[in-house]
Protein backbone atom coordinates (compact mmCIF):
# COMPACT_ATOMS: atom_id res chain seq x y z
CA UNK A 1 0.00 0.00 0.00
CA UNK A 2 3.01 2.32 -0.32
CA UNK A 3 1.46 3.66 -3.52
CA UNK A 4 -1.40 5.24 -1.50
CA UNK A 5 -1.38 8.29 0.75
CA UNK A 6 -4.27 7.52 3.09
CA UNK A 7 -6.83 10.11 3.99
CA UNK A 8 -6.88 10.19 7.78
CA UNK A 9 -9.82 12.55 8.13
CA UNK A 10 -13.10 12.99 6.31
CA UNK A 11 -13.52 10.40 3.49
CA UNK A 12 -13.75 13.03 0.77
CA UNK A 13 -13.62 10.71 -2.24
CA UNK A 14 -16.39 8.45 -0.93
CA UNK A 15 -18.47 11.52 -0.12
CA UNK A 16 -18.08 12.76 -3.70
CA UNK A 17 -19.11 9.38 -5.11
CA UNK A 18 -22.08 8.71 -2.85
CA UNK A 19 -23.51 12.22 -2.43
CA UNK A 20 -25.12 12.24 -5.93
CA UNK A 21 -26.40 8.70 -5.34
CA UNK A 22 -27.95 9.72 -2.01
CA UNK A 23 -29.42 12.77 -3.76
CA UNK A 24 -30.97 10.50 -6.39
CA UNK A 25 -32.53 8.33 -3.66
CA UNK A 26 -34.07 11.34 -1.89
CA UNK A 27 -35.29 12.63 -5.26
CA UNK A 28 -37.55 9.56 -5.47
CA UNK A 29 -39.74 11.07 -2.74
CA UNK A 30 -39.77 14.71 -3.85
CA UNK A 31 -42.96 15.98 -5.52
CA UNK A 32 -43.15 18.76 -8.10
CA UNK A 33 -40.93 19.16 -11.14
CA UNK A 34 -39.42 22.49 -10.07
CA UNK A 35 -38.57 21.08 -6.64
CA UNK A 36 -36.87 18.13 -8.35
CA UNK A 37 -34.86 20.45 -10.59
CA UNK A 38 -33.81 22.64 -7.67
CA UNK A 39 -32.85 19.61 -5.55
CA UNK A 40 -30.70 18.17 -8.34
CA UNK A 41 -29.05 21.55 -8.81
CA UNK A 42 -28.32 21.73 -5.07
CA UNK A 43 -26.84 18.20 -4.98
CA UNK A 44 -24.61 18.70 -8.02
CA UNK A 45 -23.52 22.15 -6.80
CA UNK A 46 -22.63 20.86 -3.32
CA UNK A 47 -20.71 17.99 -4.94
CA UNK A 48 -18.79 20.56 -7.01
CA UNK A 49 -18.03 22.72 -3.96
CA UNK A 50 -16.74 19.86 -1.81
CA UNK A 51 -14.49 18.71 -4.68
CA UNK A 52 -12.47 21.96 -4.51
CA UNK A 53 -10.33 20.76 -1.55
CA UNK A 54 -9.00 18.02 -3.84
CA UNK A 55 -7.12 20.69 -5.77
CA UNK A 56 -6.11 22.89 -2.83
CA UNK A 57 -4.93 19.89 -0.79
CA UNK A 58 -3.25 18.01 -3.66
CA UNK A 59 0.51 17.49 -3.34
CA UNK A 60 1.85 17.94 -6.87
CA UNK A 61 5.38 16.83 -5.88
CA UNK A 62 4.47 13.14 -5.56
CA UNK A 63 3.12 10.58 -8.00
CA UNK A 64 1.40 8.62 -5.24
CA UNK A 65 -2.37 8.31 -5.13
CA UNK A 66 -3.74 10.82 -2.64
CA UNK A 67 -6.85 11.17 -0.45
CA UNK A 68 -6.67 7.37 -0.30
CA UNK A 69 -9.34 5.12 1.16
CA UNK A 70 -9.01 1.36 1.57
CA UNK A 71 -11.60 -1.06 2.94
CA UNK A 72 -11.58 -4.83 2.54
CA UNK A 73 -14.53 -5.89 0.44
CA UNK A 74 -14.37 -9.56 -0.64
CA UNK A 75 -11.18 -10.90 1.04
CA UNK A 76 -11.46 -14.40 -0.45
CA UNK A 77 -11.09 -12.93 -3.95
CA UNK A 78 -8.71 -10.15 -2.89
CA UNK A 79 -11.24 -7.49 -3.95
CA UNK A 80 -11.09 -4.20 -2.08
CA UNK A 81 -12.80 -0.84 -2.00
CA UNK A 82 -9.73 1.26 -2.80
CA UNK A 83 -9.92 4.88 -3.91
CA UNK A 84 -7.27 7.49 -4.68
CA UNK A 85 -6.42 10.21 -7.19
CA UNK A 86 -3.17 11.32 -8.80
CA UNK A 87 -2.16 14.03 -11.26
CA UNK A 88 -3.82 12.10 -14.10
CA UNK A 89 -7.25 11.77 -12.50
CA UNK A 90 -7.45 14.98 -10.43
CA UNK A 91 -8.51 17.36 -13.22
CA UNK A 92 -10.92 14.80 -14.68
CA UNK A 93 -12.67 14.48 -11.31
CA UNK A 94 -12.92 18.28 -11.07
CA UNK A 95 -14.17 18.51 -14.67
CA UNK A 96 -16.95 16.04 -13.82
CA UNK A 97 -18.13 17.88 -10.72
CA UNK A 98 -17.90 21.20 -12.62
CA UNK A 99 -19.90 20.07 -15.65
CA UNK A 100 -22.82 18.39 -13.88
CA UNK A 101 -24.51 21.53 -12.41
CA UNK A 102 -24.27 23.10 -15.86
CA UNK A 103 -26.03 20.04 -17.32
CA UNK A 104 -28.87 20.54 -14.84
CA UNK A 105 -29.13 24.22 -15.75
CA UNK A 106 -29.00 23.39 -19.47
CA UNK A 107 -31.90 20.94 -19.02
CA UNK A 108 -34.04 23.27 -16.89
CA UNK A 109 -36.66 23.98 -19.58
CA UNK A 110 -35.43 21.53 -22.24
CA UNK A 111 -36.74 18.50 -20.31
CA UNK A 112 -40.49 18.65 -19.77
CA UNK A 113 -41.45 14.99 -19.37
CA UNK A 114 -40.38 12.56 -16.65
CA UNK A 115 -38.29 15.24 -14.99
CA UNK A 116 -37.70 13.20 -11.84
CA UNK A 117 -36.41 10.19 -13.76
CA UNK A 118 -34.18 12.40 -15.91
CA UNK A 119 -32.61 14.06 -12.88
CA UNK A 120 -32.09 10.66 -11.22
CA UNK A 121 -30.23 9.49 -14.34
CA UNK A 122 -27.96 12.55 -14.16
CA UNK A 123 -27.13 11.93 -10.50
CA UNK A 124 -26.48 8.22 -11.00
CA UNK A 125 -24.24 9.08 -13.96
CA UNK A 126 -22.25 11.47 -11.78
CA UNK A 127 -21.68 8.78 -9.14
CA UNK A 128 -20.46 6.28 -11.74
CA UNK A 129 -18.23 8.76 -13.58
CA UNK A 130 -16.54 10.05 -10.43
CA UNK A 131 -16.02 6.48 -9.24
CA UNK A 132 -14.30 5.46 -12.49
CA UNK A 133 -11.72 8.24 -12.09
CA UNK A 134 -11.09 7.36 -8.42
CA UNK A 135 -11.22 3.54 -8.36
CA UNK A 136 -7.93 1.72 -7.75
CA UNK A 137 -9.40 -1.77 -7.70
CA UNK A 138 -10.28 -3.33 -11.05
CA UNK A 139 -13.56 -4.91 -9.88
CA UNK A 140 -14.75 -1.59 -8.43
CA UNK A 141 -13.61 0.16 -11.61
CA UNK A 142 -15.44 -2.30 -13.85
CA UNK A 143 -18.70 -2.11 -11.87
CA UNK A 144 -18.71 1.68 -12.11
CA UNK A 145 -17.64 1.57 -15.77
CA UNK A 146 -20.65 -0.62 -16.54
CA UNK A 147 -22.95 1.42 -14.30
CA UNK A 148 -22.51 4.40 -16.63
CA UNK A 149 -24.07 2.51 -19.52
CA UNK A 150 -27.61 2.26 -18.16
CA UNK A 151 -28.37 5.92 -17.31
CA UNK A 152 -26.79 7.11 -20.56
CA UNK A 153 -28.78 4.49 -22.50
CA UNK A 154 -31.94 5.83 -20.84
CA UNK A 155 -31.00 9.48 -21.41
CA UNK A 156 -30.76 8.82 -25.14
CA UNK A 157 -33.57 6.27 -25.42
CA UNK A 158 -36.22 8.10 -23.36
CA UNK A 159 -35.45 11.81 -23.80
CA UNK A 160 -33.76 11.68 -27.21
CA UNK A 161 -34.79 12.73 -30.72
CA UNK A 162 -36.81 10.93 -33.40
CA UNK A 163 -34.26 8.12 -33.86
CA UNK A 164 -33.56 7.73 -30.15
CA UNK A 165 -34.14 3.96 -29.98
CA UNK A 166 -31.72 3.28 -32.84
CA UNK A 167 -29.09 5.59 -31.31
CA UNK A 168 -29.44 4.24 -27.78
CA UNK A 169 -29.21 0.59 -28.85
CA UNK A 170 -26.21 1.32 -31.06
CA UNK A 171 -24.50 3.15 -28.19
CA UNK A 172 -25.27 0.28 -25.80
CA UNK A 173 -24.06 -2.49 -28.12
CA UNK A 174 -20.81 -0.74 -29.07
CA UNK A 175 -19.86 0.14 -25.51
CA UNK A 176 -20.93 -3.27 -24.21
CA UNK A 177 -18.66 -4.93 -26.77
CA UNK A 178 -15.81 -2.78 -25.49
CA UNK A 179 -16.69 -3.69 -21.92
CA UNK A 180 -16.46 -7.40 -22.69
CA UNK A 181 -12.93 -6.90 -23.98
CA UNK A 182 -12.07 -4.92 -20.85
CA UNK A 183 -13.38 -7.77 -18.69
CA UNK A 184 -11.24 -10.27 -20.60
CA UNK A 185 -8.14 -8.16 -19.92
CA UNK A 186 -9.02 -7.83 -16.22
CA UNK A 187 -9.48 -11.60 -15.83
CA UNK A 188 -6.19 -12.30 -17.62
CA UNK A 189 -4.34 -9.89 -15.33
CA UNK A 190 -6.00 -11.36 -12.22
CA UNK A 191 -5.00 -14.89 -13.21
CA UNK A 192 -1.43 -13.65 -13.66
CA UNK A 193 -1.12 -11.60 -10.47
CA UNK A 194 -3.80 -12.92 -8.10
CA UNK A 195 -4.86 -9.36 -7.35
CA UNK A 196 -7.36 -6.81 -8.63
CA UNK A 197 -5.31 -3.89 -7.31
CA UNK A 198 -4.58 -1.57 -10.24
CA UNK A 199 -1.35 -0.09 -8.78
CA UNK A 200 -0.13 -3.62 -7.95
CA UNK A 201 -0.55 -4.64 -11.59
CA UNK A 202 1.61 -1.76 -12.79
CA UNK A 203 5.31 -2.34 -13.17
CA UNK A 204 4.98 -6.15 -13.08
CA UNK A 205 7.20 -8.04 -15.48
CA UNK A 206 4.75 -9.61 -17.90
CA UNK A 207 5.95 -11.41 -21.00
CA UNK A 208 5.84 -9.56 -24.32
CA UNK A 209 3.23 -11.93 -25.76
CA UNK A 210 0.98 -11.56 -22.71
CA UNK A 211 1.27 -7.79 -22.90
CA UNK A 212 0.34 -7.76 -26.58
CA UNK A 213 -2.89 -9.68 -25.95
CA UNK A 214 -3.84 -7.61 -22.91
CA UNK A 215 -3.02 -4.40 -24.76
CA UNK A 216 -5.26 -5.41 -27.68
CA UNK A 217 -8.16 -6.13 -25.31
CA UNK A 218 -7.61 -2.81 -23.52
CA UNK A 219 -7.25 -1.02 -26.84
CA UNK A 220 -10.57 -2.25 -28.24
CA UNK A 221 -12.36 -1.31 -25.01
CA UNK A 222 -10.94 2.18 -24.86
CA UNK A 223 -10.82 2.93 -28.61
CA UNK A 224 -14.59 2.40 -28.76
CA UNK A 225 -15.10 4.72 -25.82
CA UNK A 226 -12.84 7.54 -27.19
CA UNK A 227 -14.07 6.85 -29.99
CA UNK A 228 -11.19 6.34 -32.43
CA UNK A 229 -11.66 5.90 -36.16
CA UNK A 230 -13.04 3.38 -37.29
CA UNK A 231 -14.82 2.59 -33.99
CA UNK A 232 -16.60 5.95 -33.92
CA UNK A 233 -19.87 5.22 -35.73
CA UNK A 234 -21.99 5.12 -32.56
CA UNK A 235 -20.96 8.67 -31.61
CA UNK A 236 -22.73 10.90 -34.20
CA UNK A 237 -26.04 9.05 -33.75
CA UNK A 238 -25.79 9.23 -29.96
CA UNK A 239 -24.89 12.93 -29.99
CA UNK A 240 -27.60 13.91 -32.46
CA UNK A 241 -30.39 12.02 -30.71
CA UNK A 242 -29.35 12.68 -27.09
CA UNK A 243 -30.87 15.57 -25.13
CA UNK A 244 -28.54 18.52 -24.51
CA UNK A 245 -27.33 17.26 -21.13
CA UNK A 246 -26.65 13.82 -22.62
CA UNK A 247 -24.56 15.32 -25.42
CA UNK A 248 -22.63 17.46 -22.93
CA UNK A 249 -21.90 14.48 -20.66
CA UNK A 250 -20.88 12.35 -23.65
CA UNK A 251 -18.52 14.97 -25.04
CA UNK A 252 -17.16 16.38 -21.82
CA UNK A 253 -16.69 13.27 -19.71
CA UNK A 254 -17.60 9.89 -21.23
CA UNK A 255 -15.21 10.20 -24.18
CA UNK A 256 -12.43 10.92 -21.69
CA UNK A 257 -12.94 7.50 -20.13
CA UNK A 258 -11.25 5.95 -23.16
CA UNK A 259 -8.18 8.17 -23.14
CA UNK A 260 -8.03 7.87 -19.33
CA UNK A 261 -7.96 4.08 -19.81
CA UNK A 262 -5.00 4.36 -22.20
CA UNK A 263 -3.10 6.44 -19.64
CA UNK A 264 -4.10 4.49 -16.55
CA UNK A 265 -3.75 0.93 -17.91
CA UNK A 266 -2.04 0.58 -21.31
CA UNK A 267 1.09 2.60 -20.59
CA UNK A 268 1.96 1.32 -17.09
CA UNK A 269 0.62 -2.27 -17.32
CA UNK A 270 1.55 -3.11 -20.91
CA UNK A 271 4.50 -0.78 -21.67
CA UNK A 272 6.22 -3.14 -24.13
CA UNK A 273 3.05 -3.63 -26.15
CA UNK A 274 2.51 0.13 -26.07
CA UNK A 275 5.99 0.63 -27.49
CA UNK A 276 5.50 -2.06 -30.13
CA UNK A 277 1.98 -1.15 -31.26
CA UNK A 278 2.07 2.57 -30.49
CA UNK A 279 3.07 3.58 -34.06
CA UNK A 280 -0.10 1.94 -35.43
CA UNK A 281 -2.19 3.85 -32.89
CA UNK A 282 -0.46 7.06 -33.94
CA UNK A 283 -1.48 6.56 -37.56
CA UNK A 284 -5.01 5.71 -36.44
CA UNK A 285 -5.00 9.00 -34.53
CA UNK A 286 -3.95 10.86 -37.68
CA UNK A 287 -6.75 9.11 -39.58
CA UNK A 288 -9.24 10.18 -36.89
CA UNK A 289 -8.04 13.78 -37.06
CA UNK A 290 -8.38 13.97 -40.84
CA UNK A 291 -11.59 11.93 -41.09
CA UNK A 292 -13.24 13.90 -38.29
CA UNK A 293 -12.23 17.18 -39.90
CA UNK A 294 -13.39 16.37 -43.42
CA UNK A 295 -16.67 14.85 -42.20
CA UNK A 296 -17.42 17.81 -39.91
CA UNK A 297 -16.84 20.12 -42.87
CA UNK A 298 -19.60 18.38 -44.82
CA UNK A 299 -22.30 18.59 -42.11
CA UNK A 300 -25.30 20.89 -42.18
CA UNK A 301 -26.60 19.76 -38.76
CA UNK A 302 -24.80 21.68 -36.01
CA UNK A 303 -24.81 18.76 -33.60
CA UNK A 304 -23.38 16.40 -36.19
CA UNK A 305 -20.72 18.98 -37.04
CA UNK A 306 -19.63 19.20 -33.40
CA UNK A 307 -19.88 15.41 -32.96
CA UNK A 308 -17.52 14.74 -35.88
CA UNK A 309 -15.22 17.51 -34.69
CA UNK A 310 -14.93 15.52 -31.44
CA UNK A 311 -13.55 12.55 -33.40
CA UNK A 312 -10.81 14.84 -34.71
CA UNK A 313 -10.11 16.55 -31.39
CA UNK A 314 -9.85 13.24 -29.55
CA UNK A 315 -7.44 12.11 -32.29
CA UNK A 316 -5.07 14.85 -31.08
CA UNK A 317 -5.42 13.48 -27.55
CA UNK A 318 -4.45 9.92 -28.53
CA UNK A 319 -1.66 11.33 -30.68
CA UNK A 320 -0.21 13.08 -27.62
CA UNK A 321 -0.55 9.96 -25.46
CA UNK A 322 1.19 7.52 -27.79
CA UNK A 323 4.16 9.72 -28.63
CA UNK A 324 5.22 8.87 -25.07
CA UNK A 325 7.00 12.05 -24.10
CA UNK A 326 6.22 14.56 -21.37
CA UNK A 327 4.97 17.37 -23.61
CA UNK A 328 2.71 15.05 -25.55
CA UNK A 329 1.24 13.37 -22.47
CA UNK A 330 0.64 16.61 -20.59
CA UNK A 331 -0.74 18.24 -23.73
CA UNK A 332 -3.09 15.27 -24.18
CA UNK A 333 -4.27 15.50 -20.57
CA UNK A 334 -4.85 19.23 -20.88
CA UNK A 335 -6.61 18.74 -24.20
CA UNK A 336 -8.97 16.25 -22.53
CA UNK A 337 -10.02 19.02 -20.14
CA UNK A 338 -10.15 21.61 -22.93
CA UNK A 339 -12.35 19.43 -25.10
CA UNK A 340 -14.67 18.87 -22.14
CA UNK A 341 -15.01 22.61 -21.57
CA UNK A 342 -15.27 23.78 -25.18
CA UNK A 343 -17.31 21.02 -26.78
CA UNK A 344 -19.61 20.88 -23.76
CA UNK A 345 -20.20 24.61 -24.22
CA UNK A 346 -20.87 24.21 -27.95
CA UNK A 347 -23.47 21.49 -27.30
CA UNK A 348 -25.13 23.74 -24.69
CA UNK A 349 -25.26 26.55 -27.30
CA UNK A 350 -26.85 24.24 -29.87
CA UNK A 351 -29.36 23.01 -27.28
CA UNK A 352 -30.33 26.58 -26.38
CA UNK A 353 -30.91 27.41 -30.02
CA UNK A 354 -32.85 24.17 -30.61
CA UNK A 355 -35.24 25.13 -27.80
CA UNK A 356 -36.03 28.31 -29.76
CA UNK A 357 -36.14 27.10 -33.37
CA UNK A 358 -36.62 23.29 -33.04
CA UNK A 359 -33.98 22.94 -35.71
CA UNK A 360 -30.26 22.29 -35.73
CA UNK A 361 -29.76 23.02 -39.43
CA UNK A 362 -27.24 25.75 -40.21
CA UNK A 363 -29.53 27.32 -42.82
CA UNK A 364 -32.23 27.87 -40.18
CA UNK A 365 -29.87 30.01 -38.11
CA UNK A 366 -28.48 32.22 -40.84
CA UNK A 367 -27.85 35.77 -39.72
CA UNK A 368 -28.99 35.32 -36.12
CA UNK A 369 -26.14 37.60 -35.02
CA UNK A 370 -28.40 40.54 -35.91
CA UNK A 371 -30.94 39.62 -33.22
CA UNK A 372 -29.02 37.45 -30.74
CA UNK A 373 -25.75 39.29 -30.00
CA UNK A 374 -25.19 37.66 -26.59
CA UNK A 375 -25.66 34.14 -27.91
CA UNK A 376 -23.45 34.77 -30.92
CA UNK A 377 -20.74 36.26 -28.71
CA UNK A 378 -20.60 33.07 -26.64
CA UNK A 379 -20.77 30.88 -29.74
CA UNK A 380 -17.96 32.80 -31.41
CA UNK A 381 -15.60 32.45 -28.46
CA UNK A 382 -16.30 28.74 -28.05
CA UNK A 383 -15.88 28.20 -31.80
CA UNK A 384 -12.53 30.00 -31.74
CA UNK A 385 -11.52 27.84 -28.80
CA UNK A 386 -12.53 24.71 -30.70
CA UNK A 387 -10.27 25.64 -33.63
CA UNK A 388 -7.42 26.34 -31.15
CA UNK A 389 -7.21 30.09 -31.61
CA UNK A 390 -4.32 31.64 -29.64
CA UNK A 391 -5.19 32.79 -26.08
CA UNK A 392 -7.88 30.15 -25.79
CA UNK A 393 -7.55 26.88 -23.88
CA UNK A 394 -7.39 24.52 -26.86
CA UNK A 395 -4.43 26.41 -28.33
CA UNK A 396 -2.27 25.52 -25.34
CA UNK A 397 -3.19 21.83 -25.37
CA UNK A 398 -2.89 21.41 -29.13
CA UNK A 399 0.43 23.28 -29.19
CA UNK A 400 1.86 20.99 -26.49
CA UNK A 401 0.67 17.86 -28.33
CA UNK A 402 2.16 18.99 -31.64
CA UNK A 403 5.40 20.17 -30.02
CA UNK A 404 5.74 16.75 -28.39
CA UNK A 405 4.88 15.05 -31.67
CA UNK A 406 7.43 16.97 -33.78
CA UNK A 407 10.19 16.16 -31.29
CA UNK A 408 9.63 12.42 -31.88
CA UNK A 409 8.38 11.88 -35.43
CA UNK A 410 8.07 14.77 -37.86
CA UNK A 411 6.28 12.72 -40.53
CA UNK A 412 3.38 11.66 -38.31
CA UNK A 413 3.23 15.09 -36.68
CA UNK A 414 3.19 16.74 -40.10
CA UNK A 415 0.42 14.43 -41.27
CA UNK A 416 -1.78 15.69 -38.40
CA UNK A 417 -1.33 19.38 -39.23
CA UNK A 418 -4.10 19.49 -41.88
CA UNK A 419 -6.46 18.55 -39.05
CA UNK A 420 -5.86 21.95 -37.45
CA UNK A 421 -6.63 23.64 -40.78
CA UNK A 422 -9.81 21.59 -41.20
CA UNK A 423 -10.91 22.57 -37.67
CA UNK A 424 -10.57 26.22 -38.64
CA UNK A 425 -12.52 25.58 -41.86
CA UNK A 426 -15.56 23.87 -40.32
CA UNK A 427 -15.84 26.21 -37.35
CA UNK A 428 -15.51 29.29 -39.58
CA UNK A 429 -18.18 27.82 -41.85
CA UNK A 430 -20.49 27.56 -38.81
CA UNK A 431 -19.71 31.16 -37.83
CA UNK A 432 -20.17 32.33 -41.42
CA UNK A 433 -23.78 31.13 -41.32
CA UNK A 434 -24.71 32.71 -37.99
CA UNK A 435 -22.82 35.95 -38.54
CA UNK A 436 -23.21 36.85 -42.17
CA UNK A 437 -25.73 34.75 -44.10
CA UNK A 438 -29.46 35.19 -44.22
CA UNK A 439 -31.95 37.85 -43.12
CA UNK A 440 -31.74 37.15 -39.37
CA UNK A 441 -34.37 35.81 -36.95
CA UNK A 442 -36.34 38.62 -35.26
CA UNK A 443 -38.84 36.01 -34.06
CA UNK A 444 -36.49 34.48 -31.47
CA UNK A 445 -35.15 35.99 -28.25
CA UNK A 446 -31.57 36.25 -27.07
CA UNK A 447 -30.19 34.30 -24.09
CA UNK A 448 -31.90 34.73 -20.74
CA UNK A 449 -30.15 35.06 -17.38
CA UNK A 450 -30.17 31.31 -16.67
CA UNK A 451 -28.55 30.55 -19.99
CA UNK A 452 -25.91 33.24 -19.53
CA UNK A 453 -25.14 31.86 -16.06
CA UNK A 454 -24.80 28.38 -17.61
CA UNK A 455 -22.26 29.44 -20.24
CA UNK A 456 -20.22 32.02 -18.31
CA UNK A 457 -18.19 29.56 -16.16
CA UNK A 458 -17.15 27.73 -19.32
CA UNK A 459 -16.10 31.03 -20.91
CA UNK A 460 -14.03 31.78 -17.82
CA UNK A 461 -12.10 28.51 -18.15
CA UNK A 462 -11.54 29.03 -21.89
CA UNK A 463 -9.50 32.15 -21.11
CA UNK A 464 -8.00 31.02 -17.79
CA UNK A 465 -6.46 27.90 -19.33
CA UNK A 466 -5.63 29.81 -22.50
CA UNK A 467 -3.78 32.64 -20.75
CA UNK A 468 -2.44 31.03 -17.55
CA UNK A 469 -2.37 27.23 -17.92
CA UNK A 470 0.38 26.54 -15.37
CA UNK A 471 -1.95 25.74 -12.42
CA UNK A 472 -3.50 23.01 -14.57
CA UNK A 473 -0.25 21.63 -16.00
CA UNK A 474 1.82 21.67 -12.80
CA UNK A 475 -0.38 19.09 -11.05
CA UNK A 476 0.40 16.56 -13.80
CA UNK A 477 4.21 16.66 -13.74
CA UNK A 478 4.98 14.04 -11.07
CA UNK A 479 2.39 11.52 -12.28
CA UNK A 480 3.37 11.90 -15.95
CA UNK A 481 7.09 11.56 -15.09
CA UNK A 482 6.33 8.40 -13.11
CA UNK A 483 4.36 7.00 -16.04
CA UNK A 484 7.20 7.68 -18.47
CA UNK A 485 9.70 6.20 -16.05
CA UNK A 486 7.80 2.91 -16.00
CA UNK A 487 7.65 2.81 -19.81
CA UNK A 488 11.34 3.65 -20.20
CA UNK A 489 12.42 1.11 -17.57
CA UNK A 490 10.53 -1.64 -19.38
CA UNK A 491 12.02 -0.53 -22.67
CA UNK A 492 15.60 -0.48 -21.34
CA UNK A 493 15.30 -3.91 -19.71
CA UNK A 494 13.92 -5.56 -22.80
CA UNK A 495 16.25 -3.81 -25.24
CA UNK A 496 19.10 -5.24 -23.15
CA UNK A 497 17.57 -8.67 -23.62
CA UNK A 498 17.01 -8.00 -27.35
CA UNK A 499 13.27 -8.51 -26.86
CA UNK A 500 12.37 -5.34 -28.75
CA UNK A 501 14.39 -3.50 -31.40
Amino acid sequence: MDFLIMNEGFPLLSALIFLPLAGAFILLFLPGENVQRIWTMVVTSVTAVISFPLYSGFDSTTAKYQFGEHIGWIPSLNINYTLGIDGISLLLVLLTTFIMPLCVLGSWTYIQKRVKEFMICLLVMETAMLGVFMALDFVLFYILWEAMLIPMYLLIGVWGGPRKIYASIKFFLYTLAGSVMLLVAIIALYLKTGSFSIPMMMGQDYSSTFQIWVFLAFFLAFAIKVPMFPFHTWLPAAHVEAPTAGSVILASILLKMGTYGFLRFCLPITPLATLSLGPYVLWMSVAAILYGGFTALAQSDMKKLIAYSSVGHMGFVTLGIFFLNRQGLEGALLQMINHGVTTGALFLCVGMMYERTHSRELKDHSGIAQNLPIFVSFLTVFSLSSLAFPATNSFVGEFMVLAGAFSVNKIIAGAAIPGAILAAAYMMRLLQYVLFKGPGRPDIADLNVREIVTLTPLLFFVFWIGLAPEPFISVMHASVDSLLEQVNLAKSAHVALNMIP
Side-chain angles (χ1 to χ4, degrees), residues 243-257:
T244 299
S247 295
V248 174
I249 292 172
L250 269 173
S252 298
I253 305 166
L254 281 197
L255 305 192
K256 311 302 175 300
M257 302 285 178

Side-chain angles (χ1 to χ4, degrees), residues 183-206:
L183 183 62
V184 169
I186 292 171
I187 292 171
L189 286 165
Y190 175 71
L191 294 176
K192 206 75 172 175
T193 64
S195 171
F196 286 107
S197 169
I198 294 168
M200 290 286 286
M201 290 177 179
M202 300 175 183
Q204 299 284 332
D205 194 15
Y206 307 109

Side-chain angles (χ1 to χ4, degrees), residues 135-353:
L136 295 178
D137 183 280
F138 248 133
V139 173
L140 181 63
F141 175 88
Y142 188 75
I143 290 172
L144 293 164
W145 176 275
E146 289 297 285
M148 290 184 302
L149 275 181
I150 298 168
M152 180 50 73
Y153 170 76
L154 293 174
L155 284 178
I156 301 170
V158 177
W159 294 275
R163 301 182 71 215
K164 57 190 178 185
I165 302 301
Y166 164 77
S168 58
I169 291 175
K170 193 170 185 179
F171 161 79
F172 192 84
L173 291 178
Y174 263 75
T175 47
L176 187 65
S179 297
V180 171
M181 299 311 298
L182 178 60
L183 183 62
V184 169
I186 292 171
I187 292 171
L189 286 165
Y190 175 71
L191 294 176
K192 206 75 172 175
T193 64
S195 171
F196 286 107
S197 169
I198 294 168
M200 290 286 286
M201 290 177 179
M202 300 175 183
Q204 299 284 332
D205 194 15
Y206 307 109
S207 71
S208 300
T209 305
F210 180 78
Q211 287 196 35
I212 292 288
W213 285 112
V214 171
F215 177 91
L216 289 174
F218 275 148
F219 177 78
L220 286 171
F222 302 138
I224 290 172
K225 192 70 97 178
V226 172
M228 292 186 74
F229 176 85
F231 307 104
H232 67 284
T233 58
W234 65 268
L235 183 71
H239 266 314
V240 169
E241 299 303 325
T244 299
S247 295
V248 174
I249 292 172
L250 269 173
S252 298
I253 305 166
L254 281 197
L255 305 192
K256 311 302 175 300
M257 302 285 178
T259 45
Y260 175 75
F262 286 139
L263 287 165
R264 177 64 76 218
F265 306 122
C266 289
L267 270 62
I269 295 178
T270 59
L272 289 176
T274 302
L275 288 162
S276 300
L277 301 177
Y280 301 104
V281 184
L282 289 173
W283 281 112
M284 287 181 69
S285 303
V286 171
I289 291 168
L290 299 180
Y291 172 83
F294 277 117
T295 316
L297 195 56
Q299 301 306 313
S300 60
D301 182 312
M302 288 193 285
K303 252 191 168 182
K304 272 190 179 176
L305 187 155
I306 299 166
Y308 279 111
S309 78
S310 289
V311 176
H313 289 312
M314 293 307 289
F316 274 107
V317 174
T318 51
L319 196 72
I321 291 172
F322 283 92
F323 268 119
L324 298 175
N325 61 16
R326 192 187 197 194
Q327 264 188 318
L329 283 169
E330 292 185 348
L333 264 168
L334 189 63
Q335 200 61 357
M336 287 161 69
I337 305 302
N338 293 336
H339 182 262
V341 170
T342 302
T343 308
L346 286 171
F347 276 122
L348 282 168
C349 287
V350 174
M352 290 169 185
M353 200 45 49

